[in-house]
Amino acid sequence: MEGKREVLFGKTLTELQQIAAKHGWQKFVAKQIAEWLYKKKLISINDMTNLSKNTRQVLKETYGLGINPFSKVQESVDGTKKYLFATHGNNFIETAMIPENDRKTVCVSSQVGCKMGCLFCMTGKQGFQSNLTAGEIINQIKSIEEREEVTNIVYMGMGEPFDNLEEVLKSLEILTSGWGFSMSPKRITVSSIGIIPGMLAFLEKSNTHLAISLHTPFDEERKNLMPVEVAYPIKEVVKEIKAWDFGRQRRISFEYIMFKGVNDSPKHVKELARLLNGLRCRLNLIRFHPIPGTPLIGTDEETIQEFKDSLNKKGVFTTIRASRGQDIYAACGLLSTKELVKNR
Amino acid sequence: MDKGLYETSITSNIEISPGVHVISFEKRHGFISGQVIKIALSYEHLPRIYSICNGTQDNEVNILFNIKEEGYLTPKLSSIPEGGKILVSKPSGSFVAGNESTWMIATGTGIAPFFSMLDSGVIACKKLIHGVSYLNQFYFGTEIRKKLGENYICCCSREQGEGIFHGRVTSYIKGQANLPKHFKYYLCGKALMVVEVRDLLISKGVPYENILAEIYF
Ligand SMILES: Cc1cc2nc3c(=O)[nH]c(=O)nc-3n(C[C@H](O)[C@H](O)[C@H](O)COP(=O)(O)OP(=O)(O)OC[C@H]3O[C@@H](n4cnc5c(N)ncnc54)[C@H](O)[C@@H]3O)c2cc1C
Ligand code: SF4
C-alpha cells in the first residue's frame, strides 16, 4: 500500500487524460499509461518504457502505482483458491478463484466488511470498515497467480457492491473497456441484495449481468434474514427488474441459500414461482455451510434436489450451485474474520 | 434519477445537539410510525434514507440526522434554512411495530423510528434501550422518560450520569439474566451494533424470528 499518495491503478481513461492535461502531456500519453496499467505486466512506473524519462520521473514523484501483492493464499483440494489482500488498518479482503473445466472465475470483494448485516453471513459480522477503490477491486484480478487466465468475474465477495456504487462502476468500466482489460461484459456478474436506487443506476450505466440475493420470497421471513428488506422489499426489487429491458445478451439471476426448515418448503416453491412469473431468469440454489454462532443450518441434499425439480416443473429455471473450497473457509468472510481477530 | 421524489420546503431546521439536526417539512402523505423517507438535493444524486421521527398525528414530517463531515448530503442539509427546498419521497418501509411486548434497542440517531412509534401512541408493553457515547445524545430524552418511565434505559459509554447505565447497550443486555424470549426485539442503528446485539440476543435464547432490525447503511 502506498499510504495517502494518489495511485494510478484504478483510474479510468478520462481520469488519466486529466492527469496528462494537468502535467501538460499529449493526450495519447494517457492511453499509453492505461495500456501499461491494464494490459501489460509491470511492477513499477519505471517499466513504462515507451513514456519519456521525464514523464516517468513526474509520475514516480507524484503518484503511487497501486498494484499490491496478495498477502496469503490457501488452496482447496478441489483447486479453489482463496487470496487475502491487506487493506488499511490491519483489515483484510478476500478474493476467491474458482477453476471449473476451462473456466477460471474470480470472486472479488467490493468493501472491507459490510453494512448489510445478513444473518447468515460472516462478513456481515465484521461490520463495515471501508469502501474499496476501483483500483483495489481490480487489483484482486491483476495480482493473483491466475491473472492471465481469468475468464469470468463475479462481484460476490465481501461487501454490497451497490453500497459502493461509484467505485464499482469505475472498476467495471476499466474491466470492459478496450483501453482497459477488454473483457466482455457477458463474463461479469454483479451480485446485490437489492438496494434499489443503486441497482437502477447500475442497470443504466453498465451492461454486465445482475444477480440478486433472494433467499426467501416472503417479506416477514426475509426481514429476519436480511435487514435490507425493511427498506427495499424483494417484491419492489423484482418489480423494478421486471420493468427493465434486459435485451437478449444481459442476464438476470437470483441466488437462494437453502436453510433447513426456513425457506425450503412447497409453500416457498409456490411463492417463488409467483414472484418470478414472467421473468426470463435463473434461480441458483446454494448449499449453506454454517458459520459460527448462526441459528441456521443447511437443507439436506434430497430436499434441495426436490426443491429444484419442483421449481423447474413450475417453469422457474433452477440450478444447484456446486459447493467449492469448503476445506479453506470458502464461505465469504470467514478467512478474513479469522485474520482480523488474529491481528487485533 | 429517482422519479418518486417531489420538491418541498423546509419549515424548520433545529440543531438539537452539536452536529445533530431535526428538520421538518409539510406532510403530504400519511405514514406509519417506523417508516422512512428518501431525501435528495437534486435529481442527479442518489437520495439518502431517513426514519421519520415524529408522531403520525402531526401535520409535518420530522427527521433526525447527524452531520457526516465527509458525507455528501448531511453537511448541506444541515445548513438549509427555513423555506429552503429539498426533494423528498413518499414514506415507505416496514420497520413497524404492533401491540406485542417489544424491546426497542437503538444507538445514536437510531432512536428516530422508536420515538415516532412512542409519539404516535405505540407505548403499551414497550421498553426502550438507547445507547450513546455522550450524555447530550439522548435525543428526545425528556419526552421519552415521560412516556415510558422506568422502561426507558439510557446507556452512555463515555460519560457517567445519574440514572444512566455506564457502558454500551451490549454490556447492558449481557447483564440481563433472563431475557423474555417470546418478546419482539427491534434494533435500529449502525451495522456493527445491530449484528452484535442480534448475536447476543440469539446466544441468550431469543429466537432469531423475534428479532427485527433496521440498519442505517
Ligand atoms: C433504512 C435507513 C434509515 C436511515 N435513517 C437515518 C436517520 O434517521 N438518521 C440518520 O442520521 N441517518 C439515517 N440513515 C443514514 C442516511 O441514509 C445517510 O447514509 C447518512 O445520513 C449519511 O449521508 P451523507 O450523504 O451525509 O453521507 P454519505 O455521502 O452517504 O457518506 C456516508 C459516510 O461514508 C463515508 N464515505 C462516503 N464516500 C465514501 C467512500 N467513497 N469511501 C469511504 N467512505 C466514504 C463518508 O465519510 C461518510 O462518513 C438511514 C439509512 C438507512 C438505510
Ligand atoms: S451477504 Fe453480502 S450483503 Fe449480506 S452481509 Fe454478507 S456481504 Fe453483506
Side-chain angles (χ1 to χ4, degrees), chain A residues 288-313:
Chain A
F288 178 58
H289 304 294
I291 55 164
T294 171
L296 302 163
I297 52 171
T299 301
D300 57 83
E301 279 306 312
E302 204 185 322
T303 312
I304 295 180
Q305 202 61 48
E306 279 170 17
F307 199 78
K308 179 190 123 177
D309 294 343
S310 312
L311 280 162
N312 277 319
K313 269 193 210 127

Side-chain angles (χ1 to χ4, degrees), chain A residues 72-305:
Chain A
K72 222 177 216 179
V73 59
Q74 288 187 349
E75 186 165 358
S76 159
V77 285
D78 66 16
T80 300
K81 282 187 181 172
K82 185 145 252 187
Y83 289 93
L84 270 188
F85 288 91
T87 63
H88 320 276
N90 265 348
N91 293 309
F92 288 85
I93 50 160
E94 301 180 14
T95 307
M97 191 289 301
I98 306 145
E100 196 181 17
N101 303 326
D102 55 349
R103 295 209 308 196
K104 282 199 164 69
T105 302
V106 177
C107 174
V108 295
S109 295
S110 55
Q111 295 182 311
V112 189
C114 184
K115 295 181 205 153
M116 301 303 146
C118 301
L119 181 66
F120 45 83
C121 174
M122 202 62 202
T123 303
K125 284 182 191 281
Q126 289 183 14
F128 173 75
Q129 272 84 42
S130 62
N131 279 328
L132 292 182
T133 61
E136 289 169 318
I137 296 171
I138 52 176
N139 182 56
Q140 298 168 67
I141 298 146
K142 181 84 172 177
S143 295
I144 59 170
E145 287 162 345
E146 298 73 15
R147 66 187 77 81
E148 310 290 343
E149 304 147 57
V150 175
T151 56
N152 297 68
I153 297 170
V154 291
Y155 285 62
M156 289 185 188
M158 300 167 72
E160 162 53 45
F162 298 158
D163 190 40
N164 183 19
L165 185 68
E166 230 173 274
E167 296 301 311
V168 164
L169 286 175
K170 253 173 76 174
S171 68
L172 292 170
E173 183 184 344
I174 295 166
L175 289 171
T176 56
S177 293
W179 49 262
F181 282 70
S182 297
M183 277 193 78
S184 161
K186 283 182 277 178
R187 301 208 166 259
I188 303 176
T189 302
V190 179
S191 172
S192 165
I193 57 173
I195 297 178
I196 294 173
M199 179 182 82
L200 294 178
F202 160 81
L203 287 173
E204 203 177 302
K205 292 178 180 162
S206 168
N207 46 4
T208 53
H209 301 312
L210 174 67
I212 295 290
S213 303
L214 205 165
H215 308 325
T216 173
F218 295 109
D219 179 61
E220 288 305 314
E221 254 172 37
R222 200 167 184 266
K223 279 198 231 175
N224 293 133
L225 297 173
M226 305 168 75
V228 72
E229 178 74 10
V230 301
Y232 297 118
I234 191 67
K235 288 200 169 63
E236 293 295 317
V237 175
V238 173
K239 197 169 132 197
E240 294 290 353
I241 289 172
K242 281 184 177 172
W244 194 266
D245 178 9
F246 278 81
R248 294 172 64 80
Q249 300 289 331
R250 203 171 187 187
R251 280 199 315 255
I252 167 79
S253 57
F254 293 90
E255 311 284 311
Y256 198 94
I257 306 179
M258 306 255 341
F259 305 112
K260 192 177 178 65
V262 175
N263 64 352
D264 55 2
S265 73
K267 177 181 92 169
H268 290 88
V269 170
K270 213 167 146 190
E271 190 59 22
L272 278 170
R274 200 192 334 243
L275 181 69
L276 303 178
N277 182 28
L279 196 59
R280 199 166 54 88
C281 65
R282 172 210 285 250
L283 185 72
N284 234 324
L285 304 181
I286 303 169
R287 294 176 183 87
F288 178 58
H289 304 294
I291 55 164
T294 171
L296 302 163
I297 52 171
T299 301
D300 57 83
E301 279 306 312
E302 204 185 322
T303 312
I304 295 180
Q305 202 61 48

Side-chain angles (χ1 to χ4, degrees), chain A residues 131 231, chain B residues 48-51 64-66 68 70-75 109 214-217:
Chain A
N131 279 328
Chain B
R48 307 291 192 255
I49 304 182
Y50 295 91
S51 301
L64 166 77
F65 67 93
N66 54 352
K68 302 268 186 223
E70 311 273 304
Y72 172 75
L73 185 81
T74 49
T109 53
E214 177 156 87
I215 294 181
Y216 283 1
F217 55 77

Side-chain angles (χ1 to χ4, degrees), chain B residues 173 179 185 187 197-206 211:
Chain B
I173 295 165
L179 289 182
Y185 291 81
L187 321 180
V197 171
R198 188 177 59 195
D199 279 357
L200 196 56
L201 294 172
I202 292 170
S203 72
K204 281 178 166 279
V206 176
I211 306 170

